[in-house]
Amino acid sequence: LKKQSNYLISLAETQRKQTKKAKEAREYRAKILKQQQNSAHLSPAFHEENKSLKQLKNQKADEEKVRKDMDGKTTTVQCIFNLSNILMGVGLLTLPYTCKIAGTFGGIVAIVSLAFITWRTSIMVGRELNGDPRPLSYF
């Protein structure tokens, strides 16, 4: 019973401290807001800054509207760029290291092999996307 009463007292004390801190924070925010409003009348540059902020908000709203209109849609150029990035990928970035380790002949073999694999994969992906009925084993 004594532990419970100590716990309740400490809980009530903690709540009082939190309430006091919240009140101090509200007062501080009100004080800062009042200072900002008073300085706005004194500073002519504030109005220019405020206008530029409004323009920036309008610009962001316009960009967001365009982004919503383009949601899920890509242009042909974006599609080609994304496709080329996917096909080249990280494998292409590792080729210099492969050439260093395997030597000139091994590097050339690796480049040709990866080019063939990429070419064959792009054909299979294209056929699948176009709904080609031929089996994938046929070239």
mmCIF file of all heavy atoms in Angstrom, residues 3 20 31 35 83 91 98 102 119 130:
data_model
loop_
_atom_site.group_PDB
_atom_site.id
_atom_site.type_symbol
_atom_site.label_atom_id
_atom_site.label_comp_id
_atom_site.label_asym_id
_atom_site.label_seq_id
_atom_site.Cartn_x
_atom_site.Cartn_y
_atom_site.Cartn_z
ATOM 1 N N LYS A 3 3.897 1.487 -1.234
ATOM 2 C CA LYS A 3 4.524 1.625 -2.543
ATOM 3 C C LYS A 3 3.546 2.232 -3.544
ATOM 4 O O LYS A 3 3.923 3.049 -4.381
ATOM 5 C CB LYS A 3 4.999 0.263 -3.047
ATOM 6 C CG LYS A 3 6.221 -0.250 -2.349
ATOM 7 C CD LYS A 3 6.663 -1.571 -2.950
ATOM 8 C CE LYS A 3 7.892 -2.099 -2.221
ATOM 9 N NZ LYS A 3 8.347 -3.370 -2.794
ATOM 10 N N LYS A 20 3.322 22.092 -16.288
ATOM 11 C CA LYS A 20 4.060 23.348 -16.129
ATOM 12 C C LYS A 20 4.963 23.587 -17.337
ATOM 13 O O LYS A 20 5.017 24.700 -17.869
ATOM 14 C CB LYS A 20 4.889 23.299 -14.843
ATOM 15 C CG LYS A 20 5.642 24.573 -14.554
ATOM 16 C CD LYS A 20 6.429 24.468 -13.258
ATOM 17 C CE LYS A 20 7.240 25.739 -13.026
ATOM 18 N NZ LYS A 20 8.073 25.638 -11.836
ATOM 19 N N LYS A 31 5.378 34.428 -27.070
ATOM 20 C CA LYS A 31 6.329 35.530 -26.992
ATOM 21 C C LYS A 31 7.125 35.660 -28.301
ATOM 22 O O LYS A 31 7.264 36.763 -28.848
ATOM 23 C CB LYS A 31 7.287 35.298 -25.819
ATOM 24 C CG LYS A 31 8.363 36.330 -25.660
ATOM 25 C CD LYS A 31 9.289 35.955 -24.521
ATOM 26 C CE LYS A 31 10.531 36.806 -24.514
ATOM 27 N NZ LYS A 31 11.494 36.370 -23.514
ATOM 28 N N GLN A 35 7.077 38.718 -31.079
ATOM 29 C CA GLN A 35 8.292 39.392 -31.531
ATOM 30 C C GLN A 35 8.395 39.368 -33.057
ATOM 31 O O GLN A 35 8.764 40.362 -33.674
ATOM 32 C CB GLN A 35 9.532 38.728 -30.930
ATOM 33 C CG GLN A 35 9.736 39.010 -29.469
ATOM 34 C CD GLN A 35 10.942 38.245 -28.912
ATOM 35 O OE1 GLN A 35 11.528 37.419 -29.583
ATOM 36 N NE2 GLN A 35 11.280 38.533 -27.666
ATOM 37 N N LEU A 83 14.984 2.016 -69.136
ATOM 38 C CA LEU A 83 15.271 0.702 -69.682
ATOM 39 C C LEU A 83 16.770 0.508 -69.897
ATOM 40 O O LEU A 83 17.330 -0.531 -69.555
ATOM 41 C CB LEU A 83 14.513 0.491 -70.992
ATOM 42 C CG LEU A 83 14.623 -0.880 -71.642
ATOM 43 C CD1 LEU A 83 14.075 -1.944 -70.701
ATOM 44 C CD2 LEU A 83 13.883 -0.897 -72.951
ATOM 45 N N GLY A 91 26.355 -4.468 -63.414
ATOM 46 C CA GLY A 91 27.270 -5.367 -64.102
ATOM 47 C C GLY A 91 28.239 -4.626 -65.004
ATOM 48 O O GLY A 91 29.428 -4.967 -65.077
ATOM 49 N N THR A 98 36.803 -6.502 -63.688
ATOM 50 C CA THR A 98 36.887 -7.818 -64.324
ATOM 51 C C THR A 98 38.051 -7.865 -65.300
ATOM 52 O O THR A 98 38.800 -8.845 -65.349
ATOM 53 C CB THR A 98 35.568 -8.139 -65.060
ATOM 54 O OG1 THR A 98 34.496 -8.034 -64.141
ATOM 55 C CG2 THR A 98 35.594 -9.513 -65.669
ATOM 56 N N ALA A 102 40.935 -10.514 -64.993
ATOM 57 C CA ALA A 102 40.973 -11.559 -66.015
ATOM 58 C C ALA A 102 41.981 -11.282 -67.124
ATOM 59 O O ALA A 102 42.311 -12.167 -67.891
ATOM 60 C CB ALA A 102 39.589 -11.733 -66.618
ATOM 61 N N TRP A 119 21.392 -8.746 -74.599
ATOM 62 C CA TRP A 119 20.630 -8.739 -75.845
ATOM 63 C C TRP A 119 19.526 -9.788 -75.802
ATOM 64 O O TRP A 119 18.380 -9.517 -76.119
ATOM 65 C CB TRP A 119 21.589 -8.979 -77.014
ATOM 66 C CG TRP A 119 20.924 -9.159 -78.330
ATOM 67 C CD1 TRP A 119 20.212 -8.240 -79.037
ATOM 68 C CD2 TRP A 119 20.908 -10.351 -79.103
ATOM 69 N NE1 TRP A 119 19.752 -8.782 -80.200
ATOM 70 C CE2 TRP A 119 20.175 -10.083 -80.269
ATOM 71 C CE3 TRP A 119 21.459 -11.617 -78.928
ATOM 72 C CZ2 TRP A 119 19.970 -11.039 -81.250
ATOM 73 C CZ3 TRP A 119 21.256 -12.561 -79.904
ATOM 74 C CH2 TRP A 119 20.518 -12.270 -81.056
ATOM 75 N N ASN A 130 4.951 -7.857 -75.210
ATOM 76 C CA ASN A 130 4.090 -7.736 -76.387
ATOM 77 C C ASN A 130 3.113 -8.890 -76.522
ATOM 78 O O ASN A 130 2.286 -8.894 -77.427
ATOM 79 C CB ASN A 130 4.947 -7.621 -77.655
ATOM 80 C CG ASN A 130 5.664 -6.300 -77.711
ATOM 81 O OD1 ASN A 130 5.177 -5.307 -77.218
ATOM 82 N ND2 ASN A 130 6.829 -6.294 -78.333
#
